[in-house]
Amino acid sequence: MSKLQGKVAALPAEPCCPALTERELTAQEAEITAAMFKALGDPVRLRLFSKVASHPDSEACVCDIADVGVSQPTVSHHLKKLKEAGLLASERRGTWVYYRVEPSVLAAMGRLLTPGPAKAA
């Protein structure tokens, strides 16, 4: 497990980070958040993530999502990066690997980008 995976795995079920307009992020919050957004900054990774997230039950077999215009080893590389960033979890079932989104991470990312209460002047 990488150092970042450990930090992401330690995230509570509730969103970890405040809206960007509420307060400054701590160094740890910024590191975790940047890793998640960096992982989604690649078009192939974003497509793979979208395929998993939009699949029934937010879970998909790699055999159902590998059609993104790159080779199978490249798909595996990108899925690994999404897992390392804490955005996907996986489970081997027989010969196939199934990926699912991490709901707590999606909630945290959504909250981060949601404007907080207006600040008094």
Side-chain angles (χ1 to χ4, degrees):
M1 180 182 292
S2 74
K3 184 176 175 182
L4 180 60
Q5 281 178 299
K7 288 181 182 178
V8 172
L11 289 176
E14 293 298 312
C16 74
C17 306
L20 290 174
T21 57
E22 285 182 31
R23 66 166 171 79
E24 291 181 25
L25 296 177
T26 66
Q28 183 179 12
E29 289 169 340
E31 185 178 335
I32 292 167
T33 303
M36 289 188 285
F37 283 113
K38 181 178 180 182
L40 292 175
D42 180 279
V44 172
R45 286 186 209 139
L46 187 55
R47 286 191 64 208
L48 287 167
F49 186 76
S50 174
K51 282 178 169 263
V52 173
S54 64
H55 211 267
D57 299 321
S58 297
E59 180 180 73
C61 174
V62 69
C63 59
D64 294 329
I65 61 171
D67 164 13
V68 290
V70 296
S71 68
Q72 190 283 323
T74 303
V75 167
S76 294
H77 167 78
H78 287 302
L79 288 169
K80 179 182 174 187
K81 293 294 183 184
L82 290 167
K83 279 184 60 178
E84 288 174 350
L87 296 170
L88 294 179
S90 66
E91 178 183 341
R92 180 171 291 284
R93 297 180 195 157
T95 59
W96 296 108
V97 178
Y98 286 76
Y99 290 89
R100 66 185 170 281
V101 296
E102 291 292 355
S104 64
V105 174
L106 284 179
M109 292 171 69
R111 183 163 189 269
L112 183 75
L113 297 173
T114 302
K119 295 180 183 179

